[in-house]
Structures are given as structure tokens and as C-alpha cells.
Amino acid sequence: MMRVRWSAILLSLLLLSPIVRALDSAPAFEDAGLQARYEALTRQLRCLVCQNETIADSGATLAADLRRELREQMAAGKSDAEVLKFMTDRYGAFVLYKPPFEQRTWLLWLGPAGLLLIGMGVAIRVIMQRAKLPEQLDSEEDAIEKGESV
């Protein structure tokens, strides 16, 4: 019984270790405004390993490196725009969690709206055709009752 309990404790510690590792272990900025900027910027940058998480949420080693680089850039007095430009120059626009609207990304931004419009058009057409269907059936039934060929 004791062996099972210790095994369960060890297993839970092993499973929780990635969560603990994901926490940002770097000390917070003394300036609350700088810390708020840092946290906002970590939410704007994508983890290049995880790709579906921001660097604030990721526990990957590269995300920790990006957070460290971000901290160094901010400590050097760079503005948010300068930091984001540095990151995009170094890692490409993919590092931004929300890519900018550019010629390369217009389909990404407008694609969902276009698909929605196409879907609505198809739905309206189907509804209109089905609304006409009873009228067509009624006229065919009348013709059959009168002995006319359809």
C-alpha cells in the first residue's frame, strides 16, 4: 500500500514538472509599467516550436530564449515597435501571434469571410429551390389528375 502511494506521488511530480518548467523564472521588472509591457509583448509573440502558443504560455526552451531576448531588448530601452521589428527581422513574420494584413496574408485574413459568404449563398439557393418544390409538385399533381402528360 505504501509503495503504491509513493509511486502515485512520484508519477504526479513527473507529470507536473513541465508545468512548473513553463513558468517564467526570470525576475519581474521593478517598474510595474515595464512588467506590464513585457507581459503584453509575450502574448504577441508565437513560440516557434509549439506554434499554437504564445511565448508566455510555452514551456519550450526556445520560448524561454525568446523571453530572455525580449527582456534584454526592453532593458536596453527599446520601444514595443522596435522589439517587434527586431523579432520579425530575426525570426520572420511567423513569430507574430497575429500576423499583419499584408499582400502575402490577405487570403489568411479574408478567407474565412469569403467562405462564410459562399456558404450563405449556397444555403439561400438551396432554401429558394426547396421553397419552389411544393409548387412544382402541386402543378404536376394537377396535370396528372387532368390526364395530361408531365
Side-chain angles (χ1 to χ4, degrees), residues 128-141:
M128 298 287 276
Q129 286 178 346
R130 287 196 179 190
K132 291 179 183 178
L133 189 62
E135 294 172 8
Q136 291 173 350
L137 289 176
D138 288 342
S139 65
E140 289 175 8
E141 287 175 357

PDB file of all heavy atoms in Angstrom, residues 128-141:
ATOM      1  N   MET A 128     -34.263  28.515 -51.453  1.00  0.00           N
ATOM      2  CA  MET A 128     -35.146  29.018 -52.511  1.00  0.00           C
ATOM      3  C   MET A 128     -35.639  27.870 -53.398  1.00  0.00           C
ATOM      4  O   MET A 128     -36.805  27.838 -53.779  1.00  0.00           O
ATOM      5  CB  MET A 128     -34.414  30.055 -53.366  1.00  0.00           C
ATOM      6  CG  MET A 128     -33.975  31.286 -52.582  1.00  0.00           C
ATOM      7  SD  MET A 128     -35.323  32.347 -52.165  1.00  0.00           S
ATOM      8  CE  MET A 128     -35.451  33.269 -53.660  1.00  0.00           C
ATOM      9  N   GLN A 129     -34.757  26.919 -53.731  1.00  0.00           N
ATOM     10  CA  GLN A 129     -35.159  25.792 -54.565  1.00  0.00           C
ATOM     11  C   GLN A 129     -36.156  24.898 -53.842  1.00  0.00           C
ATOM     12  O   GLN A 129     -37.104  24.403 -54.444  1.00  0.00           O
ATOM     13  CB  GLN A 129     -33.935  24.975 -54.994  1.00  0.00           C
ATOM     14  CG  GLN A 129     -33.106  25.659 -56.047  1.00  0.00           C
ATOM     15  CD  GLN A 129     -31.869  24.858 -56.420  1.00  0.00           C
ATOM     16  OE1 GLN A 129     -31.484  23.924 -55.735  1.00  0.00           O
ATOM     17  NE2 GLN A 129     -31.229  25.256 -57.513  1.00  0.00           N
ATOM     18  N   ARG A 130     -35.944  24.701 -52.564  1.00  0.00           N
ATOM     19  CA  ARG A 130     -36.880  23.866 -51.802  1.00  0.00           C
ATOM     20  C   ARG A 130     -38.225  24.567 -51.616  1.00  0.00           C
ATOM     21  O   ARG A 130     -39.242  23.906 -51.518  1.00  0.00           O
ATOM     22  CB  ARG A 130     -36.279  23.498 -50.450  1.00  0.00           C
ATOM     23  CG  ARG A 130     -35.175  22.482 -50.603  1.00  0.00           C
ATOM     24  CD  ARG A 130     -34.843  21.852 -49.318  1.00  0.00           C
ATOM     25  NE  ARG A 130     -33.799  20.870 -49.543  1.00  0.00           N
ATOM     26  CZ  ARG A 130     -33.409  20.013 -48.653  1.00  0.00           C
ATOM     27  NH1 ARG A 130     -33.967  20.016 -47.464  1.00  0.00           N
ATOM     28  NH2 ARG A 130     -32.467  19.154 -48.923  1.00  0.00           N
ATOM     29  N   ALA A 131     -38.221  25.865 -51.550  1.00  0.00           N
ATOM     30  CA  ALA A 131     -39.482  26.600 -51.435  1.00  0.00           C
ATOM     31  C   ALA A 131     -40.298  26.457 -52.713  1.00  0.00           C
ATOM     32  O   ALA A 131     -41.533  26.422 -52.670  1.00  0.00           O
ATOM     33  CB  ALA A 131     -39.213  28.071 -51.136  1.00  0.00           C
ATOM     34  N   LYS A 132     -39.655  26.344 -53.863  1.00  0.00           N
ATOM     35  CA  LYS A 132     -40.349  26.177 -55.142  1.00  0.00           C
ATOM     36  C   LYS A 132     -40.811  24.742 -55.343  1.00  0.00           C
ATOM     37  O   LYS A 132     -41.710  24.491 -56.129  1.00  0.00           O
ATOM     38  CB  LYS A 132     -39.433  26.562 -56.301  1.00  0.00           C
ATOM     39  CG  LYS A 132     -39.130  28.036 -56.373  1.00  0.00           C
ATOM     40  CD  LYS A 132     -38.205  28.324 -57.529  1.00  0.00           C
ATOM     41  CE  LYS A 132     -37.825  29.794 -57.563  1.00  0.00           C
ATOM     42  NZ  LYS A 132     -36.886  30.077 -58.646  1.00  0.00           N
ATOM     43  N   LEU A 133     -40.210  23.799 -54.654  1.00  0.00           N
ATOM     44  CA  LEU A 133     -40.502  22.389 -54.853  1.00  0.00           C
ATOM     45  C   LEU A 133     -41.978  22.041 -54.640  1.00  0.00           C
ATOM     46  O   LEU A 133     -42.560  21.368 -55.485  1.00  0.00           O
ATOM     47  CB  LEU A 133     -39.606  21.534 -53.941  1.00  0.00           C
ATOM     48  CG  LEU A 133     -39.622  20.033 -54.177  1.00  0.00           C
ATOM     49  CD1 LEU A 133     -39.127  19.722 -55.579  1.00  0.00           C
ATOM     50  CD2 LEU A 133     -38.740  19.345 -53.149  1.00  0.00           C
ATOM     51  N   PRO A 134     -42.639  22.485 -53.558  1.00  0.00           N
ATOM     52  CA  PRO A 134     -44.071  22.166 -53.405  1.00  0.00           C
ATOM     53  C   PRO A 134     -44.922  22.734 -54.542  1.00  0.00           C
ATOM     54  O   PRO A 134     -45.886  22.099 -54.974  1.00  0.00           O
ATOM     55  CB  PRO A 134     -44.449  22.805 -52.069  1.00  0.00           C
ATOM     56  CG  PRO A 134     -43.174  22.887 -51.314  1.00  0.00           C
ATOM     57  CD  PRO A 134     -42.123  23.101 -52.354  1.00  0.00           C
ATOM     58  N   GLU A 135     -44.597  23.894 -55.065  1.00  0.00           N
ATOM     59  CA  GLU A 135     -45.335  24.480 -56.178  1.00  0.00           C
ATOM     60  C   GLU A 135     -45.214  23.595 -57.412  1.00  0.00           C
ATOM     61  O   GLU A 135     -46.191  23.354 -58.119  1.00  0.00           O
ATOM     62  CB  GLU A 135     -44.817  25.882 -56.485  1.00  0.00           C
ATOM     63  CG  GLU A 135     -45.071  26.893 -55.392  1.00  0.00           C
ATOM     64  CD  GLU A 135     -44.376  28.222 -55.664  1.00  0.00           C
ATOM     65  OE1 GLU A 135     -43.831  28.402 -56.771  1.00  0.00           O
ATOM     66  OE2 GLU A 135     -44.385  29.070 -54.766  1.00  0.00           O
ATOM     67  N   GLN A 136     -44.014  23.085 -57.671  1.00  0.00           N
ATOM     68  CA  GLN A 136     -43.802  22.210 -58.817  1.00  0.00           C
ATOM     69  C   GLN A 136     -44.569  20.903 -58.641  1.00  0.00           C
ATOM     70  O   GLN A 136     -45.187  20.401 -59.578  1.00  0.00           O
ATOM     71  CB  GLN A 136     -42.306  21.920 -58.996  1.00  0.00           C
ATOM     72  CG  GLN A 136     -41.498  23.114 -59.429  1.00  0.00           C
ATOM     73  CD  GLN A 136     -40.007  22.823 -59.432  1.00  0.00           C
ATOM     74  OE1 GLN A 136     -39.559  21.798 -58.946  1.00  0.00           O
ATOM     75  NE2 GLN A 136     -39.241  23.751 -59.982  1.00  0.00           N
ATOM     76  N   LEU A 137     -44.557  20.340 -57.430  1.00  0.00           N
ATOM     77  CA  LEU A 137     -45.279  19.104 -57.169  1.00  0.00           C
ATOM     78  C   LEU A 137     -46.778  19.305 -57.335  1.00  0.00           C
ATOM     79  O   LEU A 137     -47.476  18.445 -57.891  1.00  0.00           O
ATOM     80  CB  LEU A 137     -44.955  18.571 -55.769  1.00  0.00           C
ATOM     81  CG  LEU A 137     -43.554  17.993 -55.569  1.00  0.00           C
ATOM     82  CD1 LEU A 137     -43.359  17.594 -54.119  1.00  0.00           C
ATOM     83  CD2 LEU A 137     -43.318  16.808 -56.482  1.00  0.00           C
ATOM     84  N   ASP A 138     -47.299  20.433 -56.841  1.00  0.00           N
ATOM     85  CA  ASP A 138     -48.737  20.720 -56.978  1.00  0.00           C
ATOM     86  C   ASP A 138     -49.142  20.806 -58.452  1.00  0.00           C
ATOM     87  O   ASP A 138     -50.167  20.265 -58.861  1.00  0.00           O
ATOM     88  CB  ASP A 138     -49.100  22.023 -56.253  1.00  0.00           C
ATOM     89  CG  ASP A 138     -49.066  21.876 -54.742  1.00  0.00           C
ATOM     90  OD1 ASP A 138     -49.100  20.722 -54.270  1.00  0.00           O
ATOM     91  OD2 ASP A 138     -49.018  22.918 -54.057  1.00  0.00           O
ATOM     92  N   SER A 139     -48.335  21.488 -59.258  1.00  0.00           N
ATOM     93  CA  SER A 139     -48.673  21.626 -60.680  1.00  0.00           C
ATOM     94  C   SER A 139     -48.569  20.285 -61.384  1.00  0.00           C
ATOM     95  O   SER A 139     -49.367  19.979 -62.270  1.00  0.00           O
ATOM     96  CB  SER A 139     -47.783  22.665 -61.347  1.00  0.00           C
ATOM     97  OG  SER A 139     -46.438  22.233 -61.336  1.00  0.00           O
ATOM     98  N   GLU A 140     -47.622  19.423 -61.009  1.00  0.00           N
ATOM     99  CA  GLU A 140     -47.505  18.092 -61.606  1.00  0.00           C
ATOM    100  C   GLU A 140     -48.697  17.221 -61.202  1.00  0.00           C
ATOM    101  O   GLU A 140     -49.227  16.465 -62.016  1.00  0.00           O
ATOM    102  CB  GLU A 140     -46.185  17.429 -61.198  1.00  0.00           C
ATOM    103  CG  GLU A 140     -44.966  18.037 -61.840  1.00  0.00           C
ATOM    104  CD  GLU A 140     -43.662  17.441 -61.342  1.00  0.00           C
ATOM    105  OE1 GLU A 140     -43.697  16.445 -60.594  1.00  0.00           O
ATOM    106  OE2 GLU A 140     -42.601  17.978 -61.703  1.00  0.00           O
ATOM    107  N   GLU A 141     -49.140  17.304 -59.942  1.00  0.00           N
ATOM    108  CA  GLU A 141     -50.284  16.530 -59.472  1.00  0.00           C
ATOM    109  C   GLU A 141     -51.556  16.963 -60.198  1.00  0.00           C
ATOM    110  O   GLU A 141     -52.387  16.124 -60.585  1.00  0.00           O
ATOM    111  CB  GLU A 141     -50.462  16.692 -57.962  1.00  0.00           C
ATOM    112  CG  GLU A 141     -49.427  15.959 -57.147  1.00  0.00           C
ATOM    113  CD  GLU A 141     -49.553  16.235 -55.652  1.00  0.00           C
ATOM    114  OE1 GLU A 141     -50.416  17.042 -55.244  1.00  0.00           O
ATOM    115  OE2 GLU A 141     -48.777  15.656 -54.896  1.00  0.00           O
TER     116      GLU A 141
END
